[in-house]
Amino acid sequence: MFSLRINGKTYSVDVEPETPLLWVLRDTIGLTGTKFGCGMALCGACTVHVNGQAVRSCVQPVSQVVGKVITTIEGLSPDAQHPLQIAWREGDVPECGYCQPGQIMAAAALLAKNPNPTDADITREITNLCRCGTYPRIRQAIHRAAQLAAKA
Amino acid sequence: MVLTKEMDRREFLVTTLTVGGGFALALSFPWNSAEAAANAARIPDKPWESLVGKNETEINPWLVVAPDDTVTIRVAQSEMGQATFTSWSKMICEELECDWSKVRAEYASVNRHFRENKVYRRMATNASGAVRISREYLQQAGASARERLMAAAAEVWAVPRSDLTVKDGIITHVPTGRKLRYGQVAEKAAAIKLPQEPKIKTPDQFTLMNKPTPLLETPLRVDGSVTYGIDVRLPGMLYAAAKASPVFLGKVKKYDDTKVKNRPGVHAVVEFGGPDIEAGVAVVADSYWHAKTALGLLPIEWDEGVHGEDTSEKFLQMARAALEEPGAQVVVKKGDPEAALKDAAQMVEAVYELPYLDHAFMEPLNCTAQVTADRVDVWVGTQRPEEALLDAAKLTGVPRANIYIHNCFIGGGFGRRNQNDDVRQAVMIAKQLDRPVKVVWSREETTRHGYYRPMRVARFRAGLGPDGMPVAWINRVIGIDQNPPADPAQTIRGLHQVPYAIPNQLFDYHLRQTHVPTGVWTSVGRSQNEFYLESFMDELAHAAGKDPYQYRRALLDGNSNFPHAKSWVKVLDTAAERSGWGKKLPEGTGMGIAIGDGRRPGVKEITICAVVATVSVSKKGELRVERFDVAMDTGPFLVNPLAAERQVEMQMVMGLAAVLRQEITIQKGRVVQSNFHDYPLLRATEMPEIRVHFVRATDEPIVGIGEEALGWVAPSVCNAIFAITGKRIRSLPLKNHNLSTGAA
Ligand code: FES
Ligand code: FES
């Protein structure tokens, strides 16, 4: 039995210690916004925050995140009004959308430590894959979100 | 432990106050209720559920009007990134004259489609058909609904229809200024029959289409609420991890389920296989992780059949040999190409070779199914829901009327999700269980059990006259498929009607068979055929000592037999002008050009597209595609230019990833590649600038835009490489070539 703090709520889950956080989120708890893409930390579709850091949950054993603050796309903002989500809507960033929760979570972690990232910061820090090639729109939306957050 | 969204949100407001640090950003932004309202769900987050309430009125199967004037559109296409919910709604609302801000969209019911005699006409999402095939009947459905709503208002007021106007769903009686809303007359309208169907608008009359429209699909995709097939959750649902025969067409010899039966959460071990279902074994458990880990420990012995030693290298040898074999199917024969070749001033010959490719979308394959004695439910993202239903009926014996295909959003399809092999497998697994089961394929399984873009070998021989212009053209293509198709359209399209003026021509093909499953891959044949056709044109231009753009232009201009020649020239010129073709470029940088159209045998519509790639190659051979200038014919209209532009960009990215590094190879009868490390996608750092230049080059509507640019990525890039390095690329991917031109 592990006690997990996810999106401000406490969950008790009965899983093996090595179970990846991804599957605990998706199957045990039902938070399916976090996506499975590769299972090998290659694509970033499964990105969540653990204590504010972007983490690829498909290779993150659940036993190691006990007592830490976990945030998923569902918990990024109560009403989908995170500056990134606003910017993402403004720019119609997603194509098929499957990689986008991971992209947004990676971007949110970046903005939290670097409120005004350069293009170079973005391409260095966000290595999530997008099959549909939304990279330029993602970059633009991150700049826009930085602006929105500064104004707020 | 399933939470509703409401609970989540309330909970969040309380609990986030205690969380500090990095989350301050999320909390500091003011809540903006106006925007939230605008973003309220206009598409159901569980796409198979209807938004329509009891008091709403269906005017026709395509649309429902609510008392508050909300219009719900039924979408009979699958959404996998094309923004089809938006485009489909636009085609209907163009005529409906309702308030676009009150439009919602949901999937049309596949079950109803069958129960009501194919009421949605065509539900397949492929062949660039969404606009080409559906637009007119969707406009008609919108126009017809509008006229019935107007007739209802005329009846209420007892006035002639001709005294009424409508805008944004508000009907005005012009002489008196009285007004009625759609929502007020919907019920009456539903009972009205029109004496005759209204005329629909022509493209020059469009007011909603042809303008960029923000996508209805977006809001659901930024907060994790959209449900892809892989996200389906049902009460009592089990999870399955499946492994199909690593060697295609193999069989399960035996497996030892005692090794995994007692592992945590495992419920069952079941077999699957049969016609059009690759044989294999699945472990069913209470979570995917339990199922997957148990499957990994399950000893399975396979009967590999006769293909256990096959390799893609062997297939290549077979195809090369076929170039010399007699009996080829002749597609084009004009003049006497052999004689003309002999007499030509110069002969150019080249053989091109292309590997198998996978679709490599982000959402691994999956399907959820529940089978009972008298009802089947399937939740899946499929491009062909009708066939999914028929397959489920065949496998279970349950009547069609009791089969429900709940289509989901799709995390990329690109042609792969036409196949429904995931559906057949899941139905077969679910048949052996008394509860719903979600079958999830690992990334490895998804990569190794594709329906791949076929391998190809093509040979071209051309004779040039003293002026450098071609006088003879001999082309043979070898198509390689698992089941050689009766209709070889993929193998021949584009090559079957060379647009350039060449007096003597022969084009023929052979089909050869291997055990590797093949299927369509965005652009259906063009990504192969255009690679060699437009690369070879470049070879001819260089052999003639001419500029590749001007060479093509002259051959188009001079071709009075090609009806689209003038339109092609316009698109070609646009690409050349906008890219700065001919301008001096820095050392190590060059441009390549390619052009074509989306012609398919038997389809009259085309989309002309020309691409100029600006590429740099260092002396060490490091390649960077700097920019694509894409000139795209729009015809008289685009449904949504915003979505169209993104579709073009997606194709450039898909094409470039394939050009750079992607290939599926076969060893010991099975696929070598497995995941994104050995089948890499394009990375953000490799993303070129993409400039899409829309140009109206034809008066007829285009064939489509979702796959009509991809074909020209490979030849434009490879032609640029030749311009820089003098190295002619005749096989892909580029990772197999050394592009270095010296030290440094
Ligand atoms: S699923 Fe975790 S990185 Fe791909
Ligand atoms: S939007 Fe489709 S994978 Fe990124």
Side-chain angles (χ1 to χ4, degrees):
Chain A
M1 234 11 169
F2 296 101
S3 174
L4 299 176
R5 193 90 191 127
I6 303 168
N7 299 337
K9 196 174 161 55
T10 303
Y11 296 86
S12 294
V13 295
D14 185 10
V15 295
E16 291 75 41
E18 67 280 7
T19 310
L21 175 60
L22 172 65
W23 299 109
V24 177
L25 292 171
R26 288 182 55 83
D27 292 357
T28 315
I29 296 173
L31 291 169
T32 54
T34 304
K35 299 299 185 232
F36 165 49
C38 66
M40 282 177 72
L42 296 168
C43 73
C46 62
T47 305
V48 299
H49 295 176
V50 176
N51 283 354
Q53 300 288 320
V55 161
R56 296 194 168 174
S57 64
C58 66
V59 292
Q60 176 63 64
V62 67
S63 57
Q64 292 175 9
V65 296
V66 174
K68 298 185 179 165
V69 175
I70 300 163
T71 309
T72 71
I73 185 73
E74 292 92 343
L76 187 62
S77 147
D79 298 291
Q81 296 297 316
H82 188 285
L84 283 164
Q85 291 169 313
I86 294 169
W88 241 249
R89 282 190 296 265
E90 262 182 33
D92 271 316
V93 172
E95 194 120 340
C96 81
Y98 195 79
C99 73
Q100 300 292 333
Q103 303 278 6
I104 292 172
M105 294 310 283
L110 170 64
L111 282 190
K113 64 178 181 202
N114 178 355
N116 207 356
T118 62
D119 280 354
D121 296 338
I122 294 170
T123 26
R124 190 185 56 248
E125 296 285 326
I126 303 183
T127 55
N128 296 35
L129 298 175
C130 175
R131 169 64 164 80
C132 306
T134 60
Y135 303 121
R137 286 201 297 277
I138 287 174
R139 209 167 51 205
Q140 271 169 18
I142 293 173
H143 290 313
R144 173 74 181 133
Q147 254 176 28
L148 288 171
K151 267 196 251 153
Chain B
M1 224 188 295
V2 180
L3 295 176
T4 70
K5 188 154 297 150
E6 283 313 305
M7 290 161 70
D8 266 343
R9 286 183 179 173
R10 246 181 286 122
E11 172 77 16
F12 188 98
L13 290 174
V14 182
T15 53
T16 45
L17 298 176
T18 61
V19 183
F23 303 94
L25 191 61
L27 297 172
S28 62
F29 200 77
W31 156 246
N32 175 341
S33 57
E35 195 194 326
N39 288 321
R42 294 171 67 179
I43 296 178
D45 54 5
K46 292 190 173 46
W48 61 89
E49 285 178 358
S50 179
L51 293 163
V52 172
K54 283 218 162 47
N55 58 349
E56 304 185 23
T57 307
E58 180 173 298
I59 309 292
N60 62 39
W62 302 102
L63 66 105
V64 175
V65 177
D68 69 354
D69 302 337
T70 299
V71 170
T72 305
I73 301 291
R74 262 70 177 265
V75 181
Q77 289 276 290
S78 304
E79 169 52 26
M80 46 195 167
Q82 347 73 300
T84 202
F85 276 56
T86 307
S87 300
W88 195 266
S89 302
K90 286 185 80 173
M91 290 189 277
I92 293 175
C93 294
E94 177 67 59
E95 301 281 351
L96 188 58
E97 306 290 352
C98 61
D99 177 353
W100 177 257
S101 72
K102 292 186 179 164
V103 171
R104 306 182 300 196
E106 64 186 32
Y107 272 132
S109 159
V110 194
N111 177 272
R112 175 176 177 184
H113 175 64
F114 276 91
R115 275 189 287 107
E116 297 182 18
N117 193 24
K118 304 274 174 88
V119 63
Y120 291 111
R121 302 179 71 138
R122 171 183 186 269
M123 298 190 79
T125 305
N126 54 26
S128 292
V131 180
R132 174 170 60 89
I133 300 173
S134 318
R135 176 182 59 93
E136 290 188 356
Y137 61 72
L138 294 180
Q139 276 186 245
Q140 195 64 58
S144 181
R146 180 198 65 227
E147 284 310 309
R148 288 162 69 199
L149 289 157
M150 300 288 272
E155 223 176 273
V156 170
W157 289 321
V159 299
R161 157 71 178 89
S162 52
D163 283 352
L164 307 185
T165 59
V166 61
K167 192 168 184 296
D168 292 339
I170 298 172
I171 303 168
T172 305
H173 181 234
V174 178
T176 62
R178 281 178 294 177
K179 292 189 192 304
L180 275 172
R181 294 178 294 100
Y182 274 1
Q184 295 172 301
V185 293
E187 238 182 279
K188 209 173 186 40
I192 285 179
K193 284 206 167 45
L194 295 175
Q196 71 187 51
E197 280 295 306
K199 265 210 180 64
I200 60 169
K201 293 182 192 173
T202 51
D204 53 301
Q205 298 169 315
F206 291 163
T207 55
L208 185 56
M209 287 199 266
N210 233 349
K211 294 199 182 91
T213 305
L215 311 182
L216 299 176
E217 291 85 350
T218 298
L220 284 178
R221 286 176 170 151
V222 304
D223 63 3
S225 58
V226 59
T227 309
Y228 298 89
I230 204 167
D231 302 327
V232 168
R233 289 171 65 81
L234 302 165
M237 182 178 86
L238 294 168
Y239 296 78
K243 184 159 186 57
S245 170
V247 176
F248 302 108
L249 306 180
K251 291 196 177 70
V252 180
K253 205 186 270 169
K254 60 177 184 206
Y255 58 94
D256 182 4
D257 56 5
T258 60
K259 291 276 190 300
V260 302
K261 271 216 160 130
N262 297 323
R263 285 189 51 86
V266 171
H267 278 247
V269 179
V270 299
E271 245 186 282
F272 53 85
D276 292 320
I277 307 174
E278 197 76 71
V281 185
V283 175
V284 183
D286 63 350
S287 76
Y288 176 64
W289 186 250
H290 280 154
K292 179 188 156 74
T293 45
L295 181 67
L297 296 169
L298 178 70
I300 312 174
E301 258 183 68
W302 304 98
D303 170 1
E304 299 185 348
V306 298
H307 298 292
E309 293 305 319
D310 285 0
T311 67
S312 37
E313 194 47 44
K314 190 173 118 184
F315 303 155
L316 199 56
Q317 306 297 349
M318 170 182 76
R320 284 177 188 150
L323 286 174
E324 308 301 336
E325 287 160 18
Q329 293 292 319
V330 176
V331 183
V332 179
K333 175 96 200 305
K334 224 166 82 174
D336 190 345
E338 292 289 353
L341 192 64
K342 244 185 247 134
D343 297 342
Q346 200 186 149
M347 218 267 275
V348 184
E349 175 168 352
V351 174
Y352 295 88
E353 298 173 343
L354 287 174
Y356 288 116
L357 287 182
D358 186 32
H359 300 77
F361 33 61
M362 286 301 278
E363 179 191 3
L365 288 171
N366 63 85
C367 177
T368 302
Q370 178 162 31
V371 178
T372 64
D374 53 9
R375 178 177 165 128
V376 178
D377 287 84
V378 174
W379 293 261
V380 69
T382 172
Q383 293 179 239
R384 296 174 82 187
E386 293 158 280
E387 281 74 9
L389 188 144
L390 295 174
D391 283 350
K394 216 201 261 163
L395 282 165
T396 58
V398 171
R400 288 174 195 178
N402 297 351
I403 297 185
Y404 294 82
I405 304 296
H406 310 284
N407 209 353
C408 298
F409 273 32
I410 310 180
F414 311 111
R416 172 68 178 89
R417 299 206 85 170
N418 274 315
Q419 302 290 350
N420 289 326
D421 51 324
D422 43 2
V423 174
R424 292 186 292 273
Q425 183 201 61
V427 167
M428 207 170 162
I429 293 170
K431 241 172 95 170
Q432 304 173 60
L433 304 164
D434 55 5
R435 288 157 68 174
V437 60
K438 172 156 77 179
V439 186
V440 177
W441 296 28
S442 64
R443 171 59 57 187
E444 290 74 14
E445 191 75 358
T446 302
T447 305
R448 289 180 166 159
H449 284 282
Y451 282 74
Y452 305 98
R453 189 191 78 168
M455 282 178 83
R456 289 279 187 267
V457 171
R459 182 178 62 198
F460 291 77
R461 287 185 289 159
L464 306 185
D467 59 354
M469 295 321 226
V471 292
W473 176 272
I474 301 177
N475 175 200
R476 173 168 293 174
V477 176
I478 313 301
I480 302 174
D481 287 283
Q482 189 182 50
N483 301 301
D487 166 17
Q490 260 220 77
T491 310
I492 67 170
R493 53 188 296 228
L495 305 170
H496 69 292
Q497 192 184 17
V498 174
Y500 305 109
I502 306 167
N504 302 288
Q505 297 184 23
L506 172 65
F507 168 46
D508 59 18
Y509 67 90
H510 279 299
L511 298 180
R512 291 292 179 266
Q513 192 167 19
T514 77
H515 72 303
V516 179
T518 46
V520 293
W521 194 86
T522 305
S523 86
V524 198
R526 305 313 285 257
S527 69
Q528 300 118 302
N529 300 354
E530 298 297 333
F531 164 61
Y532 23 86
L533 174 59
E534 282 296 291
S535 294
F536 191 63
M537 286 312 294
D538 213 70
E539 298 206 36
L540 298 190
H542 285 285
K546 305 214 156 130
D547 174 86
Y549 155 52
Q550 294 298 345
Y551 190 72
R552 285 178 175 78
R553 201 177 189 289
L555 285 169
L556 286 166
D557 245 357
N559 192 358
S560 52
N561 292 327
F562 183 55
H564 305 297
K566 246 180 117 160
S567 306
W568 275 52
V569 168
K570 190 161 177 191
V571 176
L572 187 69
D573 286 350
T574 305
E577 269 160 36
R578 299 295 191 88
S579 65
W581 182 269
K583 279 214 200 95
K584 184 127 185 56
L585 293 168
E587 167 91 18
T589 303
M591 284 187 177
I593 195 166
I595 181 171
D597 66 30
R599 236 172 314 131
R600 297 162 181 257
V603 175
K604 69 173 194 310
E605 295 92 343
I606 60 170
T607 307
I608 306 165
C609 173
V611 178
V612 172
T614 305
V615 173
S616 62
V617 182
S618 73
K619 286 252 181 309
K620 278 198 283 191
E622 299 142 323
L623 168 113
R624 177 160 185 91
V625 177
E626 313 268 355
R627 195 173 76 228
F628 284 118
D629 285 275
V630 189
M632 221 42 218
D633 179 16
T634 62
F637 72 98
L638 292 172
V639 175
N640 188 2
L642 181 78
E645 188 172 358
R646 300 144 52 94
Q647 287 286 284
V648 173
E649 290 166 2
M650 176 280 286
Q651 293 171 68
M652 295 295 119
V653 170
M654 177 171 183
L656 185 55
V659 168
L660 295 179
R661 282 186 306 249
Q662 292 176 347
E663 62 178 334
I664 289 289
T665 55
I666 308 293
Q667 290 290 339
K668 291 194 159 302
R670 66 199 82 200
V671 169
V672 173
Q673 291 71 23
S674 60
N675 205 318
F676 295 131
H677 63 289
D678 54 10
Y679 197 86
L681 304 182
L682 199 74
R683 303 188 160 277
T685 47
E686 300 167 314
M687 186 73 191
E689 182 189 348
I690 299 170
R691 297 192 201 155
V692 182
H693 312 289
F694 287 128
V695 45
R696 180 173 175 169
T698 48
D699 290 328
E700 296 304 314
I702 56 173
V703 70
I705 211 153
E707 50 183 343
E708 281 72 20
L710 181 55
W712 297 277
V713 175
S716 62
V717 169
C718 294
N719 293 344
I721 291 172
F722 182 84
I724 303 162
T725 65
K727 295 189 181 199
R728 179 56 66 184
I729 305 298
R730 298 199 182 94
S731 68
L732 292 173
L734 288 171
K735 75 170 167 75
N736 300 338
H737 295 269
N738 178 356
L739 299 181
S740 71
T741 47

